[in-house]
């Protein structure tokens, strides 16, 4: 199988915005866990920024913390 290419590197993204929830949802599993680098195909530099952005969005209640916190 081919190696996945980092979508953020391809689009020359320098900062992953925590307010862009639609992008962040792609990198969260159905149980609202942050996907690993192998699964998501993101490079290590952007994976760190992605994790911070997801955690910030969770802190501000823009994204659910777990299945129990899922918004209707």
């Amino acid at each position: 199988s081919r190696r996945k290419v980092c979508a953020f590197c391809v689009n020359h993204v320098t900062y992953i915005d925590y307010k862009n929830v639609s992008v962040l949802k792609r990198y969260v599993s159905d149980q609202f866990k942050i996907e690993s680098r192998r699964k998501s195909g993101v490079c290590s530099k952007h994976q760190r920024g992605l994790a911070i952005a997801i955690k910030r969005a969770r802190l501000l209640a823009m994204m659910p913390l777990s299945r129990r916190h899922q918004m209707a």
Side-chain angles (χ1 to χ4, degrees):
S1 65
R2 278 179 61 182
R3 188 172 179 196
K4 295 179 182 177
V5 180
C6 178
F8 297 111
C9 288
V10 171
N11 296 328
H12 305 291
V13 175
T14 54
Y15 175 73
I16 301 171
D17 193 14
Y18 66 90
K19 292 173 263 179
N20 197 349
V21 179
S22 59
V23 172
L24 299 178
K25 280 185 181 177
R26 271 189 256 153
Y27 299 99
V28 177
S29 70
D30 59 334
Q31 295 184 344
F32 301 103
K33 292 182 179 181
I34 300 172
E35 292 286 350
S36 66
R37 278 184 52 219
R38 281 189 180 188
K39 228 173 185 182
S40 63
V42 180
C43 68
S44 60
K45 178 179 138 184
H46 287 113
Q47 179 70 23
R48 288 190 295 271
L50 184 67
I52 290 169
I54 290 171
K55 289 172 186 177
R56 282 183 184 161
R58 285 175 175 170
L59 188 72
L60 296 172
M62 298 169 98
M63 288 181 73
L65 294 170
S66 65
R67 287 194 116 169
R68 298 179 104 186
H69 296 112
Q70 186 176 10
M71 294 179 237

